[in-house]
Amino acid sequence: MSVTHAAPESVPERSEPADGPPLMDHAYDGIREYDNPLPGWWSLIFIVTIVFAVIYGVYFHVGHWAKTPDDKYQAQLADWTEKKTIRDQAEAARVDEAGLARNALDVKLVEHGAKVFAQKCVGCHKEDGRGEIGPNLTDRFQMHGATRMDIYRTIRGGVPSTAMIAWGDQLAADELLDVAAFVITLRGKNVPGKAPQGQAVGDFGP
Ligand code: HEC
């Protein structure tokens, strides 16, 4: 049995209306298109966006009559950096090896530090400092430096790309000092736990 296909119907030619918009030259599958102008509201929005962009560009980027979000951010950052520098300098003048050694003998400060430790640090260093995720803080080995100041600095600044974050951003200045005092008292308790890491430092290094 043979299938016969009907011949496609021929597309009737349309003549251009005398008064409407002209027909465009192309045709797709016989579909023709009138050359209608864009709607007025559409053109208006388009022009408004161009005008807005020019005014915006001149106002913010050429004349600098107002601050861009980036300008504001840079200003805040500069302000913050300046305050941080002042705070760091003040702190550096206050915290030193001898001061930390004294703090570690002050029962009140150490007790307060133990509370901070119980709240923030036991997850990784365990309640007695024997270590788990973090190193054992009770042996005479230290990963970062050897002195009390090194302990303070590690707690304050953390160790980048490890679980040890910068606690200076989380704790108040006295919490930071006192928890360092507490950690200093742990040295030499030798609680069995995580194997020693870092270098042997005896009591406290030079
Ligand atoms: C989320 C886990 C985690 C928490 C919470 C944490 N630490 Fe750590 N800590 C670590 C790790 C991991 C290291 C070792 C980093 C490395 O690999 O250098 C470390 C290192 C240290 C060191 C340096 C030890 C050395 O041998 O130099 C001290 C001191 C320390 N932590 C104290 C603290 C104190 C104090 C707190 C609470 C305020 C705390 N840590 C909270 C994971 C933690």
Side-chain angles (χ1 to χ4, degrees):
M1 201 174 114
S2 69
V3 180
T4 50
H5 291 281
E9 280 176 32
S10 62
V11 182
E13 271 296 318
R14 272 196 63 178
S15 55
E16 291 189 17
D19 46 350
L23 266 174
M24 295 177 85
D25 283 342
H26 51 248
Y28 298 106
D29 293 339
I31 297 170
R32 308 281 307 270
E33 190 184 0
Y34 284 118
D35 193 6
N36 278 316
L38 291 165
W41 61 265
W42 194 96
S43 306
L44 188 69
I45 291 177
F46 183 57
I47 291 163
V48 167
T49 58
I50 294 174
V51 173
F52 178 82
V54 171
I55 295 173
Y56 183 95
V58 170
Y59 194 74
F60 282 102
H61 295 289
V62 181
H64 295 287
W65 289 304
K67 282 190 172 139
T68 60
D70 188 51
D71 293 338
K72 286 184 197 162
Y73 169 74
Q74 294 300 342
Q76 279 182 5
L77 189 66
D79 188 43
W80 180 83
T81 314
E82 194 190 319
K83 283 191 185 138
K84 185 176 183 305
T85 313
I86 294 170
R87 202 187 65 201
D88 287 354
Q89 282 167 352
E91 189 185 289
R94 210 159 43 92
V95 184
D96 59 11
E97 188 69 20
L100 287 174
R102 270 198 309 277
N103 289 355
L105 297 174
D106 187 317
V107 181
K108 266 210 156 121
L109 298 187
V110 172
E111 262 177 15
H112 179 228
K115 275 194 193 128
V116 177
F117 192 85
Q119 277 171 11
K120 309 282 184 186
C121 321
V122 294
C124 297
H125 293 284
K126 294 290 146 199
E127 52 288 344
D128 48 10
R130 67 181 183 277
E132 193 177 72
I133 296 166
N136 192 331
L137 300 174
T138 67
D139 54 26
R140 291 177 195 273
F141 287 79
Q142 197 162 321
M143 297 171 79
H144 301 283
T147 63
R148 298 173 182 85
M149 274 306 280
D150 290 320
I151 290 181
Y152 175 79
R153 279 194 210 104
T154 307
I155 300 171
R156 185 182 185 284
V159 184
S161 33
T162 71
M164 182 65 187
I165 60 167
W167 290 95
D169 300 334
Q170 314 277 327
L171 302 176
D174 64 322
E175 291 177 319
L176 196 61
L177 273 173
D178 296 353
V179 82
F182 173 71
V183 170
I184 289 166
T185 65
L186 296 177
R187 170 69 43 95
K189 289 197 168 167
N190 291 314
V191 183
K194 203 166 184 196
Q197 287 167 281
Q199 50 170 349
V201 290
D203 256 346
F204 286 97

